[in-house]
Amino acid sequence: MSSEEAFDRIADAATTRLTVLTPFLNDKGLDDVLELFRRTSAPEKNLVVRRYGGALATARARLGDLEPLGVEVRNYTVSLPKGFETFHAKVVIADHDLAYVGSANMTRFERKSMELGILIDGKAAKVVASVVRAVEMVSELVTEFDRATRWPERV
């Protein structure tokens, strides 16, 4: 099964919440993410990105596309006394029941790349869901107000 097929399966399975956690995001990749959020019937939709690598800037620039779909955008970049804490995981998860965990960045380029990932359900998906929910709880909500005032565009 391709990454895209796995993502579609997860979006279709979500009944309460669909979350996409990606540290890397470009405009073409965001188009794919938007399609997942349009596809799902889940009322809660979350996109978790990080400040570094351009993902936050991409999401902020497209809040006008995300907010009408009810997508909450969250920035998981926690400042530390020396540096910051962030993530490298790539996860797409439906509720707490079905998840993709792997290497697929939400970046789309003209070239094809090989991605490796695993589709998990049951207890393993619940463990991943608990980690993702913890990340959401400590991440900062990105709003229209934040777009112009809060973070540098790229680091």
Side-chain angles (χ1 to χ4, degrees):
M1 170 182 306
S2 71
S3 297
E4 290 82 8
E5 291 168 328
F7 298 158
D8 287 347
R9 181 172 166 194
I10 293 166
D12 292 345
T15 59
T16 58
R17 179 188 294 214
L18 177 66
T19 299
V20 176
L21 184 94
T22 181
F24 302 103
L25 182 69
N26 67 10
D27 276 326
K28 289 182 180 182
L30 184 54
D31 289 339
D32 293 340
V33 171
L34 285 165
E35 284 306 311
L36 293 177
F37 288 131
R38 287 184 189 105
R39 181 182 185 112
T40 190
S41 63
E44 292 182 51
K45 302 170 184 95
N46 299 291
L47 174 61
V48 181
V49 296
R50 67 181 188 176
R51 181 181 324 152
Y52 302 99
L56 178 60
T58 298
R60 283 183 19 216
R62 303 272 304 271
L63 282 174
D65 296 326
L66 291 156
E67 289 177 340
L69 295 173
V71 178
E72 275 194 1
V73 177
R74 304 195 72 80
N75 168 29
Y76 180 67
T77 310
V78 179
S79 294
L80 299 174
K82 291 186 177 183
F84 59 91
E85 169 67 30
T86 190
F87 67 96
H88 193 74
K90 291 83 172 184
V91 178
V92 180
I93 188 163
D95 307 323
H96 54 271
D97 301 319
L98 183 65
Y100 164 93
V101 179
S103 66
N105 292 309
M106 294 302 172
T107 52
R108 170 112 24 213
F109 297 98
E110 296 306 316
R111 63 177 168 74
K112 294 283 187 188
S113 66
M114 182 185 302
E115 302 297 344
L116 301 174
I118 186 166
L119 195 59
I120 57 174
D121 60 8
K123 276 186 165 180
K126 289 178 185 356
V127 170
V128 171
S130 68
V131 172
V132 170
R133 301 301 170 247
V135 166
E136 289 174 329
M137 289 174 58
V138 299
S139 61
E140 298 175 307
L141 182 64
V142 177
T143 66
E144 186 67 28
F145 173 76
D146 294 330
R147 185 189 330 196
T149 61
R150 204 117 179 230
W151 297 290
E153 284 301 310
R154 295 186 188 268
V155 175

